[in-house]
Structure formats: structure tokens, C-alpha cells
Amino acid sequence: MPKFNRRSFLQLGVAGIGISLAFLWEKISFSHNEFLKHKTQLLPFNKNKMVDFFKDFIIVNKKDKTTVLSSHCTHLGCTIDKIENGRLVCPCHGSEYDLDGNAIKGPAYKPLENIPSEVSADQQHIQIKT
Ligand code: FES
């Protein structure tokens, strides 16, 4: 039968503290990585423009709602940078999206990603959370 003396008790205690610290470190670094993943960007907002194109985003400003869509086509990722007949058009293979980001002409069939955003109180900027 194994004997527990003061030395083995201390060894167990040190091992327990080490495991606890490793667990805490993992939790802290995971939280930090999650924090870094969510960046915010500030883009200029022109409330008189219905559609405004940026490198990674398209701001769609309707009467009742302002939305931000990803400008990356869901077919192969080309940047959508023009509007024709009220539709967002991909220059690469001609996919078309409505102003809500829904694919209405292929080859893309998935909608554009809707990006969480908020218009500033002075309506000069739009904050985008990616
Ligand atoms: S990348 Fe847009 S249609 Fe192909």
C-alpha cells in the first residue's frame, strides 16, 4: 500500500497548481484571440448615397434601413464594385445581387455576408464590426 508523506503531498500540490495554471493560461489566451478577431472599422457614411462601395464592404442605404454587405462575391470572391439597374453586379462572372445581398443571378447562389454595423449619432461614419 502506497504511503503518503509530506513530500508526496507537496508534489501533488505542485502538480495541481501547475495544471490549474496551464488551464487558466489556455482560457486567457483563447479570450485574447477572440477579442482580437473582432475588429471595428470606421467608414465615412454619406446618407445621400444609396450605395457606396469600399474595398471590403458595400454600404446600402435605404429609406428605412442602412446595411453593410461584404463586397466579396460568394462565387469566387471577386470584389463587387458596381450597381446596374438596382442590382449589385460582380465584374468577374456576372453574378447579380439585390440590395439586401440576395443572389438573384448566378453563378453565385449564396447571399453576400451581412456585416454588423452602426451609424454614428452624427451620421458621418458607420462603425463596422468584423
Ligand atoms: S466571382 Fe463573382 S461571379 Fe464569379
Side-chain angles (χ1 to χ4, degrees):
M1 182 167 194
K3 279 187 172 179
F4 279 104
N5 56 24
R6 189 163 49 175
R7 172 174 257 177
S8 60
F9 179 76
L10 285 174
Q11 286 172 335
L12 274 175
V14 168
I17 289 170
I19 290 169
S20 299
L21 287 175
F23 178 76
L24 281 175
W25 180 255
E26 178 70 21
K27 284 283 183 195
I28 289 169
S29 58
F30 179 75
S31 300
H32 184 69
N33 289 341
E34 284 296 306
F35 175 76
L36 289 178
K37 265 203 298 191
H38 297 284
K39 293 186 286 182
T40 59
Q41 289 186 45
L42 215 54
L43 295 177
F45 177 62
N46 182 348
K47 65 181 177 186
N48 299 317
K49 245 181 162 177
M50 190 169 80
V51 179
D52 210 356
F53 295 95
F54 293 88
K55 181 178 170 244
D56 296 316
F57 307 106
I58 303 168
I59 297 175
V60 178
N61 189 27
K62 294 187 194 170
K63 278 183 196 163
D64 57 335
K65 189 168 100 175
T66 299
T67 53
V68 176
L69 302 169
S70 167
S71 65
H72 300 288
C73 179
T74 58
H75 177 228
L76 293 176
C78 286
T79 301
I80 298 165
D81 58 359
K82 66 179 175 180
I83 183 167
E84 288 177 2
N85 301 322
R87 295 174 171 192
L88 304 167
V89 181
C90 179
C92 292
H93 311 105
S95 288
E96 295 181 1
Y97 301 86
D98 66 16
L99 295 182
D100 293 321
N102 299 308
I104 51 178
K105 181 181 169 232
Y109 63 92
K110 292 182 188 171
L112 295 173
E113 184 183 359
N114 202 316
I115 310 290
S117 62
E118 188 176 345
V119 177
S120 65
D122 62 4
Q123 300 206 328
Q124 298 294 307
H125 297 92
I126 188 160
Q127 186 179 38
I128 294 168
K129 297 169 186 168
T130 54

